[in-house]
Amino acid sequence: MILILLIVLSFAFSFPVAGGQHRHRRHRNPEAGKKKAAKRIGIGTAAGAGAGALIGGRKGALIGAGAGAGAGTVYHYHKKHQYRRRHRRG
């Protein structure tokens, strides 16, 4: 009889008790990292500088690099907000 009681109690205490406490899990946006931002802006800068160099030499490369960096930044913000829109909670 005591053995059965011990077995029942061991099963009863092995399962977690459901309480009213809920932990909120923070969701991470995989599109919003600093590494991704640097990569996107860097690729835009390199592409803009390359295209500018072919068109206008050194001065064109500088102008193209600036334009490419701006375009890369805009693209990064677009991707970051696109993820937020597609993965809304609630």
Side-chain angles (χ1 to χ4, degrees):
M1 194 66 168
I2 294 175
L3 180 64
I4 294 173
L5 182 64
L6 287 174
I7 292 173
V8 169
L9 287 177
S10 67
F11 278 117
F13 290 119
S14 66
F15 296 108
V17 177
Q21 298 174 354
H22 296 290
R23 293 195 176 191
H24 294 284
R25 183 171 179 245
R26 293 189 59 107
H27 296 278
R28 184 184 158 301
N29 183 352
E31 296 293 331
K34 290 182 182 179
K35 288 181 184 178
K36 274 207 177 173
K39 181 179 172 184
R40 288 174 177 155
I41 295 169
I43 289 173
T45 303
L54 290 175
I55 295 171
R58 183 180 298 180
K59 186 176 178 183
L62 290 173
I63 294 170
T73 302
V74 169
Y75 179 70
H76 174 68
Y77 280 110
H78 164 72
K79 292 298 281 185
K80 185 167 71 168
H81 291 291
Q82 181 183 38
Y83 180 86
R84 285 184 191 168
R85 283 192 307 270
R86 289 185 178 175
H87 297 89
R88 284 187 179 155
R89 290 176 278 138

